[in-house]
Amino acid sequence: MLHPAWWTIDPCARFQLGPRIFPGRIWTASGCFAYGLTGHDMTSDDVASPYSGLGAVVTKTVTPLPRSGNPMPRLVETPHGALNSIGLENVGFEAFLAEVLPELEERGVPTVVSLAATNPGEFGAMAARLQECAGPLGCWHGVELNLSCPNVAEGGHDFGKDPRTVAQCVAAARSHLPDRALLAKLTPNVADIAGLARAAAEAGADAVSAVNTFVGLEVDLATGKPILPRRFGGYSGPALLPLALAKVDEIVSRTGVPVVGAGGIATAEDALKFFALGAVAVQVGTAQMRDPFTAARIARDLGKQG
Amino acid sequence: MLHPAWWTIDPCARFQLGPRIFPGRIWTASGCFAYGLTGHDMTSDDVASPYSGLGAVVTKTVTPLPRSGNPMPRLVETPHGALNSIGLENVGFEAFLAEVLPELEERGVPTVVSLAATNPGEFGAMAARLQECAGPLGCWHGVELNLSCPNVAEGGHDFGKDPRTVAQCVAAARSHLPDRALLAKLTPNVADIAGLARAAAEAGADAVSAVNTFVGLEVDLATGKPILPRRFGGYSGPALLPLALAKVDEIVSRTGVPVVGAGGIATAEDALKFFALGAVAVQVGTAQMRDPFTAARIARDLGKQG
Amino acid sequence: MNTPDPLPGAYQGIGRVTANRPVSSGLIRMDLVLARPLDFSPGQFAMLNLAGPSGMVFSRPFSILAADGQDVSFLYRVVGRGTAAFADLGPGAPVSFLGPLGRPFPARTPGQRAVLLAGGVGLPPLHDWLARHGRPGDLACFGAREGHDVPWNLLDERWTVCVEDPDGLDGHPAVTGLVTAPVAGPELPRGRDRILLLSCGPRLLLRAAADLAAAQDWECWLSLEEHMGCGYGVCKGCVVQVRVPGIPGSGPGSRNATCCQEGPVFRAEDLIWT
Amino acid sequence: MNTPDPLPGAYQGIGRVTANRPVSSGLIRMDLVLARPLDFSPGQFAMLNLAGPSGMVFSRPFSILAADGQDVSFLYRVVGRGTAAFADLGPGAPVSFLGPLGRPFPARTPGQRAVLLAGGVGLPPLHDWLARHGRPGDLACFGAREGHDVPWNLLDERWTVCVEDPDGLDGHPAVTGLVTAPVAGPELPRGRDRILLLSCGPRLLLRAAADLAAAQDWECWLSLEEHMGCGYGVCKGCVVQVRVPGIPGSGPGSRNATCCQEGPVFRAEDLIWT
Ligand SMILES: Cc1cc2nc3c(=O)[nH]c(=O)nc-3n(C[C@H](O)[C@H](O)[C@H](O)COP(=O)(O)OP(=O)(O)OC[C@H]3O[C@@H](n4cnc5c(N)ncnc54)[C@H](O)[C@@H]3O)c2cc1C
Ligand SMILES: Cc1cc2nc3c(=O)[nH]c(=O)nc-3n(C[C@H](O)[C@H](O)[C@H](O)COP(=O)(O)OP(=O)(O)OC[C@H]3O[C@@H](n4cnc5c(N)ncnc54)[C@H](O)[C@@H]3O)c2cc1C
Ligand SMILES: Cc1cc2nc3c(=O)[nH]c(=O)nc-3n(C[C@H](O)[C@H](O)[C@H](O)COP(=O)(O)O)c2cc1C
Ligand SMILES: Cc1cc2nc3c(=O)[nH]c(=O)nc-3n(C[C@H](O)[C@H](O)[C@H](O)COP(=O)(O)O)c2cc1C
Ligand code: FES
Ligand code: FES
């Protein structure tokens, strides 16, 4: 059952994405697994570690300067998903380079570094500095440009909706990253996500990640006001699956650009649906928060050994 | 609890929308309650009839000519919602005028007629003919232009994404409908739904209905292919609630255009969330299919008598 | 009277589980008590769901096996999420009920012998039909894969049980073969005024029944299964293709019929198999 | 040793319910058996969820009441969807478990008397602290609204029970008043080397405890409740504001600390109340 006839890939085998060989196709999504586990050792009865079989951990998005994020509450469960307005809390790019990335390398965690910035120049500068500082690292496989986080006031939201801006950001980063995979993470809150994907690919992205969260809102019935102080948050989790599948299908079938799928994946079956549509890899987000072994179990269930 | 302090409206009281007085603010959504109940009498232990307390039944969208709709399967349940690709099966506008509308009048069902067409001229012609044939009817309160159905190949999809087309369709219908409420039903599959709402209002719509379904897709794991023959369907049901709330809030807070809210409403609490954001009325769609008394129970629970 | 009765009023309410127990290796019988008495005809169904917000987005259609006053019974097999959830319900659990829905199997016209072909979970409507309308000389066949799959306690001696595999019969009498086997012989007369064939079960069985009836010119009604959204005719998610008389000058046409409201029981000749 | 222990390894697995019964009118005790023995310190918690796809999107944090080998116990109150679902679980039901998580309450330093203030479902960590570290002279107070709310069987004679309303005591000994009442008198010495105040419960209690400690210069640790996404430090959904030492030349600053990983137990002075 977990290996239907049409399914021939081993997602725990190495595969090439752009200039880089990744150790597998089951990844964790940015913001849902921090910089990998920090401070915790984790065990389970059935999987050796939360990293077993994973192709990459996409790190929490880092920005040029540290950010403390949005006011609380910034994470709300809804019956079928979650709304977050974390606001890109992160240690900042320099601390990330100095402390986080070396530690990921030391622990042997395959890493994709998620970056956000407010203009193409900043993206370029971060990419250049990454290449300069982290060039020799073996576990750093690529960069994902977060062009779509709906929680940042300064431009973040509409930023990634314009294909030209997407292209500029990708081009700026690409020029400094000759030997790493470059991914553009797209917002689904547009009429034409395929257009964004095409723009990203033409500017040099090796793949696009789709999707980031949908704009959502939850009301506190006691007050009649939105629960999140900024009203809107990013909707993620199981409710998203059919929406994310549609966006991925739109990109794959209209553009042929390689897609790393994300949105609502919690089980091997969910992941299979993205692969069925032609996704080259998948990311586990919200479900990884519920259980740090989710992605590793998906890798085990779908792997040839599974 | 059902009547929080901020909540002062009686949704079962008459209210004015454009040139028309509606008997209430809890409506059923187009396509989820046909032309009202046809052929069935329904009883329950707690509510007198599925129409009790309802402000309007928005009829299944009718098109100039009859349509048999899309191939089967065209309705798929997902764990948190539903995907439909009914394809606007309907009896056609002339049969609707001749048979359905008089019957709704006879049964005293407050009615909003949902219309779809492929260009502004057709919308105008249908509006004119409605006014001509149904002008004297007392239960016909208004027209909802379905500018957003994602299931029709011939233009339906991208049609409602362009504010200019929206404005043209609204204007064409408005000129023939002096004394009925005119609503434009908007697609959520755009980056800027507030822009559509503004265009509709400026062209003469009394309100907008938001939202229609989101584009979604479900994969059949056995075959690895989309379950729906047309790949995509419209995603509706509980998963939509936070997305629909966000779209409604965007319209209300950015434009002030009156909004009739829809998307995922299954309980009085769900409906209250739309009212909290300023919706003037709400529509119950998918949940009405599960239980024909859903909207009537919401009206009862939220009504002053409730 | 072969014309289907007009649709009776449907009732929506919360039933309470009084029993929910296996009656064979694959079949579970669920009994509910409703808040009011239920009247139905064999072939009609109800839409069931878990009560409250934990329910499925769509209710599930199940044929009514029997109803007595406020008690109503179903027979089902666990095939997916909904039926698995139903199987977990214990006595007292609330179940959302909407029914009876759809058009029933017709009664016989005078002079007709009835042939009933029920496959697996297709038993309920024909079980009730036989209980109400059965006469000596009728042939009622129930088909299952093997003996353990047969709900013996539900089937009195009027039923001929057919099993594909004679294992697990534990001494119960049964024909080895498909459920159509007892009908294949030459004993039954030809002609639609002589035989009324009713069938409910897997699609292959329905096709076989339709073919048999066509070959023998029998009157034939079939109960179809389509995935349903609403069950009461509003969503158009359950349509099947039926023939319509041609407009003079052009050939016969087809149209959509809702399985939930114009069916689930259709005259075999009206159906266009796809 | 007042410095929190380093975080131990957390275990993720499926526990099975062995008992799930009310211990007072508002409190339920749930016992699980895990697949392996559990080691924890008082104040640590676990993230619990229904097993499988019917679970909530986020697991729910609950303080560990006790653990003995593979058995682990929780005390909870039904407040919403998740806890209502937990209350429905019968023996054998699977529960997804991730724990132990977070930093525990510290042990005392020599010379300190402990004052424990537990309100309602804030009992578990302090109950376990007292069981492990309690000494004669410690003052352990449990507060509830009225007698029926008190889990008498869990509270031995070392616990002083405080009820706001003396109804429903049924002869049990209790102080009428807030849980802080027994601490208010002048009997307790001043100074952080003399009293270690630990508190867990409603926010108002924590504020009162912090104020008391500040006024008396007691060492004080509080267990905070924040809504949690992950419970293990990755989502940043549970942050609280804590003070950081000022950079020389500028005033003291603040930063986000994750309640799940840097807490849930914080030194009262470090907290910035919002
Ligand atoms: C008129 C009618 C009468 C029926 N009577 C019975 C009966 O008496 N006993 C019985 O066991 N089954 C009966 N069925 C089939 C029964 O409805 C399905 O087995 C049930 O809906 C499966 O639900 P699920 O959630 O377990 O399966 P899932 O596969 O998880 O369901 C997913 C969706 O598919 C639909 N679906 C899946 N299988 C079927 C099917 N065979 N027919 C229709 N919809 C399906 C479900 O309703 C749901 O919407 C009947 C179907 C119809 C149309
Ligand atoms: C470290 C820690 C230890 C806790 N220990 C206990 C305990 O031992 N016994 C006990 O009964 N409760 C305890 N709680 C509170 C418990 O987590 C909540 O009562 C529970 O999450 C409510 O879930 P629900 O689905 O029933 O409520 P809902 O209101 O439906 O939950 C909706 C969301 O809000 C969150 N939430 C609601 N109330 C709280 C709360 N008070 N604290 C944190 N999150 C909340 C839920 O986790 C969920 O994400 C503890 C909380 C924390 C942070
Ligand atoms: C709490 C939280 C934080 C997130 N932070 C980020 C982020 O920093 N950068 C980013 O690109 N995406 C972020 N996301 C989006 C996820 O990476 C993912 O694209 C999205 O949640 C959809 O996948 P899911 O349904 O599996 O969660 C975040 C999501 C959540 C729930
Ligand atoms: C089966 C089905 C058919 C629908 N048909 C129509 C339609 O004909 N016209 C229309 O404007 N909307 C149609 N809709 C959309 C609903 O009216 C509603 O806008 C949408 O489903 C969101 O609300 P809900 O989540 O309450 O269902 C249909 C929805 C469903 C599920
Ligand atoms: S199931 Fe909705 S029309 Fe038949
Ligand atoms: S709950 Fe996720 S970081 Fe604390």
Side-chain angles (χ1 to χ4, degrees), chain C residues 60-63 75-77 79-83 121 225-227:
Chain C
R60 305 295 193 242
F62 294 96
S63 301
L75 195 68
Y76 66 100
R77 164 177 294 151
V79 299
R81 199 162 74 100
T83 45
V121 292
E225 279 187 12
E226 278 297 337
H227 289 214

Side-chain angles (χ1 to χ4, degrees), chain C residues 2 46 98 145 163 172 177 215 243 247 258 265:
Chain C
N2 269 347
L98 175 66
R145 222 190 44 77
V163 291
H172 288 288
R243 271 173 243 287
I247 308 164
T258 51
V265 176

